Amino acid sequence: MPYKEKPIQKLYYSIGEVANMFDVNASLIRFWEKEFNSFLKPSKNKKGNRFYTPDDIEVLKLIYKLVKEEGFTLHGAKERITKEKKMGINTHTNTQALIEEKLLKIKEALEKLKNDL
């Protein structure tokens, strides 16, 4: 993931700083803000400059992971995030937990097959 892990120390980040963290153009961050407006709502000052909180950055990490790394469509990513929010699951940690759970099930199935042979 090209997200440049840095300890989140600031209360707010500019769109340029966020775009740099993900190594994408600021226009992509604005596009995602528009597409995922029910999950991503950065603060804006009187001039309209966006300010992202650490929570906003966590949402962007999830969007980046789903869309750029896992190949979800925008619609699919929205559905996934919506489903997780409805279930009350922390979306940031849930993706990893789901992967681990599925891998454990696969491992169990393979071990059962091995024992049956």
Side-chain angles (χ1 to χ4, degrees), residues 1-6 15-29 32 60-61 64 68-69:
M1 176 178 193
Y3 174 74
K4 298 170 187 155
E5 288 288 339
K6 294 180 183 177
I15 193 167
E17 290 172 316
V18 173
N20 187 38
M21 287 178 198
F22 290 93
D23 197 27
V24 297
N25 292 326
S27 60
L28 181 60
I29 302 295
W32 283 347
L60 283 167
K61 277 193 217 179
Y64 185 94
K68 293 287 193 177
E69 293 179 352

Side-chain angles (χ1 to χ4, degrees), residues 4 20 37 44-45 53 55-56 58 60 69 77 100 109:
K4 298 170 187 155
N20 187 38
N37 60 4
K44 293 182 183 178
N45 65 10
T53 65
D55 289 338
D56 293 328
E58 292 300 318
L60 283 167
E69 293 179 352
E100 289 174 5

Side-chain angles (χ1 to χ4, degrees), residues 71-93:
F72 277 68
T73 63
L74 293 177
H75 180 71
K78 286 179 205 175
E79 285 182 349
R80 174 78 174 265
I81 295 170
T82 301
K83 177 181 169 187
E84 292 178 1
K85 294 264 185 197
K86 283 183 182 176
M87 292 172 39
I89 298 171
N90 180 342
T91 54
H92 174 63
T93 58

Side-chain angles (χ1 to χ4, degrees), residues 3 8 11-13 18 21-22 29 32-33 36 39-44 50-63:
Y3 174 74
I8 297 179
L11 293 176
Y12 296 100
Y13 294 85
V18 173
M21 287 178 198
F22 290 93
I29 302 295
W32 283 347
E33 179 190 335
F36 295 89
F39 312 111
L40 184 60
K41 295 181 182 179
S43 302
K44 293 182 183 178
R50 292 164 173 83
F51 292 99
Y52 295 86
T53 65
D55 289 338
D56 293 328
I57 292 171
E58 292 300 318
V59 172
L60 283 167
K61 277 193 217 179
L62 179 60
I63 293 169

Side-chain angles (χ1 to χ4, degrees), residues 70 72 80 83 94-110:
E70 296 182 14
F72 277 68
R80 174 78 174 265
K83 177 181 169 187
N94 187 49
T95 302
Q96 183 67 25
L98 285 174
I99 291 169
E100 289 174 5
E101 182 181 328
K102 288 179 181 178
L103 286 173
L104 284 174
K105 287 180 182 177
I106 291 169
K107 180 181 177 184
E108 289 171 5
L110 288 172

